[in-house]
Structure formats: structure tokens, C-alpha cells
Amino acid sequence: MPIPPEVTGEEIDPDVRQELMSLPKGLAEDVSRNLVMVAQLIDEDPERAYEYAKVALRLASRVAAVREAAGFAAYANQQYSEALAEFRAARRMSGGVDLWPVMADCERGLGRPERALAMAGEPEVQKLDKAGQVEMRLVAAGARRDMGQLDAAIVTLQSPELASSAHHPWTARLRYAYADALLAAGREQEAREWFAKALEADKDGATDASDRLAEMDGVEFVDAFDEDEDENDALDADRGDDAADVLDDEDDDEDDEADEADEADDERRQG
């Protein structure tokens, strides 16, 4: 796939660039530019990101960062089997545990929540940093819900991280998941409180907590664009009616002129 000329390999993460130094210079640059495109597109256009990831994979399948990027691109496109295979390959190459939560979530995506729960109890979880452990907790709670164990999902999310008043990058998502589980259990008042707490921590708009709160409060949103379109349609209809009236008036005038001409002819013939 073509890459915009302004995209260079210099934009790539320094750690990934270091890993790509094992490749010939020209090849490393090509792989870097494709990985940059994956990072830029994965949220807004995951299908295109997936295509760039496959190009990078063809060029450098023995690089862990490439396998990881391919895994995330597949994951973004709900290609969970492929994503899991790429994550496993990346983990074998790097020896790290950072991908453990997303690997477990792939198991959920494949309809195997019991495997995700089993992974939540493995020693690898203890090796994760705090963000990774919270992510694993979110996956485990999701697996509980997949299995119809709603109360267990709520308990899984109850943790020191949830109770903390400090705001971290994962705080909003953790509170939101807890609020959503409470709402599913019919505990609406508690759910509303936690959606509000999620919104308080959600500085980047990572969740739709504000919409959920509005929905619970019975607020309906009207799309301003739809209103504008309706008004424009009404104006167009009025203009159309006005134009039709003008044409009708013109036709009436023409008919009157024709009648007058016929009467004049009749008078001349009678005279």
C-alpha cells in the first residue's frame, strides 16, 4: 500500500527503532514507515491499519515489534484468532508479559471466557505492572459476565484501585466497567454514582459515561445536523411551492391573453 511521502521512520517509537536495527537500513526504513501508518490509523481506520500491518509482517516477521503491531491491528478488526497467534509469537520473541491481558481478551473474543479466567490466575499476572493488572481485572470481569456470572463480575472489579481517589490512565475505564456491571444487575442508583465518578476521571473522553448518565436521567439528544436538514427541506419545499405558484400565475396570464386575442378576432369577423 502507498505511504504518504511525509511519513518517515523517524516517527516510530525509539524502542521499536532499536529493535529494527538488526535489519538492513533500507528494509528497516520501509518497516518503520508501515508501523507508523499502523499507529496512526488503528483507531480511526482499523482496516487500513491492518493492511499496513500485513505489509510490515511480510517484510520482517522475525521482529517482535512487528508481530505485536500485527496482533493489535488484527485485534482492532476483531480477527481474534489471528491476533492471538501474533501476540503469542511476539511474547515468545520478547519474553515479556505485557501482552498477557490482551491475549486473555482474545480468548473472550473467541468465545472461550473460561480460558481468559484461567489466564487471570496464572503467575504471569503478578509480573504485570499496575496498569496491566487492572487491565487483567477488567478482562476477568468481562469473562465473568460472558458466563452469566454478573455478581462475580462486580466482586472482581471491587479492588483498591477502584476505591482509590487518585486518577490514573485506567481509572475511568475501571469505574465505567463497575458502573455498567451494577446497572446490568439492576442497582441503578449505585450505577449512576459510578458513572459520575467515571466521568470525573475521564479527561480524554475514553468512555461514554456522560451519555450513559444523560440516558439514565431521561435526557434525549437531538442531532443539530438533522434539524438543519429538516429546516432546509422545509425551505426547499416552500420555495418549490412558491415557484409552482409563479408558474401557475404565468400560465393564467397566458390563458387570459389568449382569450382576449380570440375575442378580438371574433369582433373583427363580426364587424
Side-chain angles (χ1 to χ4, degrees), residues 81-253:
S81 181
E82 181 178 345
L84 184 56
E86 296 300 338
F87 288 142
R88 284 173 173 167
R91 182 168 176 268
R92 285 196 301 270
M93 293 176 182
S94 67
V97 297
D98 292 350
L99 296 173
W100 197 254
V102 72
M103 289 169 61
D105 205 39
C106 285
E107 295 287 6
R108 285 186 61 211
L110 291 168
R112 302 190 295 240
E114 68 285 349
R115 294 193 184 183
L117 279 178
M119 292 179 67
E122 293 292 332
E124 282 81 356
V125 176
Q126 303 306 317
K127 301 175 184 178
L128 294 168
D129 60 14
K130 182 60 68 177
Q133 291 180 4
V134 170
E135 195 66 36
M136 193 69 242
R137 188 177 293 276
L138 288 167
V139 173
R144 290 291 186 187
R145 293 187 65 171
D146 294 342
M147 299 168 69
Q149 301 173 3
L150 190 52
D151 290 340
I154 292 172
V155 172
T156 299
L157 292 168
Q158 293 171 345
S159 61
E161 294 81 16
L162 179 68
S164 173
S165 60
H167 290 178
H168 301 279
W170 38 261
T171 300
R173 292 177 56 240
L174 181 60
R175 293 178 178 180
Y176 182 94
Y178 188 59
D180 191 54
L182 289 170
L183 185 61
R187 296 160 62 175
E188 295 188 8
Q189 185 56 43
E190 293 175 85
R192 195 191 183 291
E193 293 174 4
W194 281 99
F195 277 129
K197 291 180 179 180
L199 180 60
E200 178 187 357
D202 194 0
K203 306 303 181 184
D204 300 323
T207 73
D208 64 346
S210 60
D211 292 342
R212 299 295 296 275
L213 279 170
E215 182 182 340
M216 294 184 73
D217 290 340
V219 177
E220 294 185 7
F221 294 97
V222 178
D223 194 328
F225 291 107
D226 289 342
E227 284 190 343
D228 291 342
E229 288 178 2
D230 291 341
E231 290 177 2
N232 290 335
D233 290 343
L235 288 172
D236 290 342
D238 289 341
R239 293 192 191 102
D241 291 341
D242 291 342
D245 291 340
V246 170
L247 290 174
D248 289 341
D249 292 340
E250 291 177 352
D251 290 341
D252 291 341
D253 291 341

Side-chain angles (χ1 to χ4, degrees), residues 68-83:
E68 181 175 330
F72 277 112
Y75 179 81
N77 284 275
Q78 299 182 5
Q79 302 291 334
Y80 297 118
S81 181
E82 181 178 345

